Amino acid sequence: MAIGSRAVSYANPACVKSVVVRSQSVPQWRALSSQSIAHQQQQKNLTKTKKQKSSKCSNHSSTAAAQIHLLLSQFRQASATPLHRLRQLADAMTAEMHSGLMSEGGSEQLKMLPTYVENLPHGDEEGLFYAVDLGGTNFRVLRVQLGGKEKRIVKQEYQEVAIPPELMQGTSKELFDFIAKKLASFVAREGEGFEAHSGHVRELGFAFSFPVLQTSVKSGILVHWTKGFKISDAIGKDIVAAFEEAIGRKGDHIRVAALVNDTVGTLAGGRYWNEDTMLSVILGTGTNACYIEQVDAVPKWRGAPPKSGEVIINMEWGNFRSPYLPRTFADEEVDIDSVNPGDQWFEKMISGMYLGEIVRCVLAKFAQEAALFGGPIISPKLLEPFSLGTPYVSKIHSDESADLTEVARILKDVFEIRRTTFQERKIVHDICDIIAERGARLAAAGIVGILNKIGRDHGPTATNGSYLSSRRSKTVVAMDGGLYEHYTQYQVYMRAAIDEMLSETAAQSVVIELSKDGSGIGTALLAASHSQYHTF
Ligand code: ADP
Ligand code: MG
């Protein structure tokens, strides 16, 4: 049962630029109204002018149409992700993974952070556990009642809360006090079917989806913010300490048993149900991936090797970059106007926070340079950063009506563009298709890069000496995130690109499993497997 409601705000006030209404280069034929002509000229002259106007008009519209088609084909070309390009990207991802594992700072792009999660849940966990999942757009608080191997998840409840935009750029105290307050009221509503062990302090898993340098499974230092957050005083601080202090200020007794990234939570959730889960990917507001690595392949690992011989690596792959990435003018614009210019290029090309914004930038350019939507007056909304959320992109994309009525409705509702021609709507549809396909194929290249690193890119019969490839017949990718979950065509493009890149046998062995809210449940499961009362 879900309690609470989903209220999502896509606008990022920090990015809202002043709105400019373009009025330059007004073509003569549009600047003249028929009324003023009537007042100025004789009937004879008027007829002549009308003829001229109509001929100029049709010349102009055909020139504008040609110009739009030229821009579109240039954009399509610049965004292309042919197979050889995807292979180059996958190889570049694998190479960066190796560098990042060599030493601290071994890769400038991929942090490749070892996590300290030693006990992945395997089904026999029991009791009541909580999780807080701070993702980017929303945060979720949830509780699960675990019933061991037989009963598994007996009951679960969650609440989702939109993060007020002002808290994303305030102080860490304000942010954690807000979260602690919501957590306290959620705990206070713990009802039937949930039973805390008497004498036990409630335990919580904390999924904090920003780059954190962990020093133990219960502590970690924030390296930097992503996804539009900018709370300077939190950088370099222990996130668990900051959160537990806020919980203490509310007078609650809840202990953080595990600090994890949402990718790690998703991996844990995947493992709980399927032992073949080897990696997890988040495609939500932002993007990231983690996977299970052999500790021998991690030269920068310090301390005693884990008993399992395996370590979970949080890649922080959103910061991947490569000259092979098909970046366009729109990606540059999105990057420059972001709160973290120069960072997270991969994330800015493939994730939910940015896809809508890329589409908007392209539409704005087409409107300005080729009078898409009839010009010359451009809707101020079209020039307003983040006015088009990615859910609209998927709605536009899935419009299969003969005259693209849904596209018309969205252009009207979002950009206040009241009248559009079918051709214009078709161009908007094409732009969404190009941008979503590119994003999905790039995400696929990232996944193949990981499969390559763990020796799973040749299928289960590979004899490349990899320990991992020799013992499993399937490789499950646990997937979580609103973008992947809700954007069907994105899923289709991603799967197609994975299949294109791998041999048939390898492709068949790769299973992508969407675990809705897997990061939250997985994080509660990790609290269970790292409980101080752990007796199972
Ligand atoms: P978070 O990443 O904050 O944990 P989610 O995993 O729920 O949150 O992902 C939210 C993101 O998913 C939104 O920012 C949005 O970009 C994207 N999203 C949500 N619904 C849709 C949709 N219908 N189509 C495409 N993208 C969507
Ligand atoms: Mg999330």
Side-chain angles (χ1 to χ4, degrees), residues 111-401:
K111 295 215 158 41
M112 303 299 285
L113 303 165
T115 64
Y116 288 79
V117 171
E118 278 214 29
N119 320 320
L120 282 170
H122 30 76
D124 48 6
E125 294 77 9
E126 283 181 63
L128 170 64
F129 294 92
Y130 276 80
V132 166
D133 181 1
L134 180 62
T137 306
N138 308 302
F139 82 89
R140 294 172 190 85
V141 277
L142 67 128
R143 57 182 148 243
V144 289
Q145 186 74 38
L146 303 176
K149 263 277 185 278
E150 292 295 302
K151 296 188 192 152
R152 296 282 173 140
I153 296 175
V154 180
K155 191 169 180 184
Q156 68 187 60
E157 254 178 16
Y158 77 95
Q159 183 180 20
E160 187 164 76
V161 185
I163 301 160
E166 65 277 13
L167 291 190
M168 292 161 76
Q169 304 193 14
T171 66
S172 57
K173 184 172 177 296
E174 285 164 347
L175 177 69
F176 285 116
D177 278 349
F178 178 77
I179 296 170
K181 190 172 149 204
K182 298 289 175 190
L183 171 66
S185 64
F186 183 68
V187 173
R189 292 197 302 273
E190 188 178 288
E192 209 182 307
F194 294 101
E195 206 179 325
H197 199 289
S198 75
H200 285 190
V201 173
R202 281 180 182 73
E203 291 180 298
L204 167 114
F206 184 23
F208 182 77
S209 312
F210 301 91
V212 164
L213 195 59
Q214 291 211 233
T215 41
S216 77
V217 76
K218 285 181 291 224
S219 57
I221 306 293
L222 176 65
V223 183
H224 61 80
W225 290 105
T226 54
K227 298 178 274 192
F229 278 68
K230 199 176 189 181
I231 303 173
S232 322
D233 77 299
I235 294 170
K237 280 197 189 147
D238 181 359
I239 289 307
V240 173
F243 187 29
E244 283 189 331
E245 277 163 28
I247 293 173
R249 280 194 289 275
K250 288 273 154 305
D252 275 356
H253 299 288
I254 304 173
R255 184 182 153 270
V256 176
L259 170 70
V260 296
N261 193 277
D262 53 358
T263 49
V264 180
T266 303
L267 185 75
R271 260 295 164 111
Y272 184 74
W273 297 108
N274 193 333
E275 287 254 308
D276 291 335
T277 307
M278 297 305 296
L279 61 147
S280 77
V281 174
I282 302 288
L283 285 163
T285 306
T287 182
N288 193 11
C290 80
Y291 73 106
I292 300 177
E293 182 62 278
Q294 297 301 294
V295 71
D296 301 346
V298 189
K300 71 177 179 184
W301 179 265
R302 295 282 166 265
K307 273 181 263 146
S308 62
E310 293 175 339
V311 48
I312 299 172
I313 303 289
N314 165 18
M315 291 176 60
E316 291 298 338
W317 84 353
N319 200 36
F320 173 65
R321 63 169 63 203
S322 159
Y324 300 122
L325 283 176
R327 276 169 59 82
T328 67
F329 69 91
D331 301 296
E332 270 158 41
E333 246 178 73
V334 168
D335 183 43
I336 288 166
D337 292 341
S338 70
V339 291
N340 53 352
D343 290 338
Q344 302 290 110
W345 277 14
F346 195 50
E347 176 165 273
K348 287 172 184 166
M349 295 176 83
I350 72 176
S351 80
M353 177 159 173
Y354 303 100
L355 293 187
E357 178 60 359
I358 301 171
V359 172
R360 186 202 62 81
C361 285
V362 176
L363 293 180
K365 177 172 162 122
F366 282 27
Q368 283 164 339
E369 293 189 4
L372 178 67
F373 310 124
I377 304 293
I378 292 172
S379 156
K381 284 273 178 200
L382 191 55
L383 300 171
E384 187 182 309
F386 291 93
S387 53
L388 184 75
T390 301
Y392 286 117
V393 177
S394 64
K395 274 195 193 128
I396 290 173
H397 207 167
S398 59
D399 184 357
E400 287 176 357
S401 63

Side-chain angles (χ1 to χ4, degrees), residues 25-30 52-68 367-376:
S25 68
V26 179
Q28 202 57 41
W29 65 269
R30 276 189 179 271
Q52 282 170 351
K53 182 177 157 187
S54 139
S55 125
K56 274 188 185 176
C57 178
S58 77
N59 284 345
H60 179 274
S61 43
S62 60
T63 317
Q67 172 76 348
I68 288 169
Q368 283 164 339
E369 293 189 4
L372 178 67
F373 310 124

Side-chain angles (χ1 to χ4, degrees), residues 376-454:
I377 304 293
I378 292 172
S379 156
K381 284 273 178 200
L382 191 55
L383 300 171
E384 187 182 309
F386 291 93
S387 53
L388 184 75
T390 301
Y392 286 117
V393 177
S394 64
K395 274 195 193 128
I396 290 173
H397 207 167
S398 59
D399 184 357
E400 287 176 357
S401 63
D403 52 359
L404 297 172
T405 31
E406 183 64 6
V407 180
R409 194 188 62 75
I410 292 171
L411 291 171
K412 186 160 152 271
D413 290 355
V414 176
F415 296 131
E416 293 165 4
I417 299 171
R418 278 169 219 297
R419 265 189 216 105
T420 49
T421 64
F422 175 77
Q423 282 312 319
E424 288 166 346
R425 298 196 288 275
K426 176 75 175 66
I427 280 160
V428 174
H429 192 276
D430 285 357
I431 290 169
C432 292
D433 182 57
I434 293 169
I435 290 165
E437 182 176 23
R438 184 189 70 160
R441 288 173 70 81
L442 295 179
I447 291 173
V448 172
I450 303 175
L451 295 173
N452 184 4
K453 175 72 183 70
I454 59 173

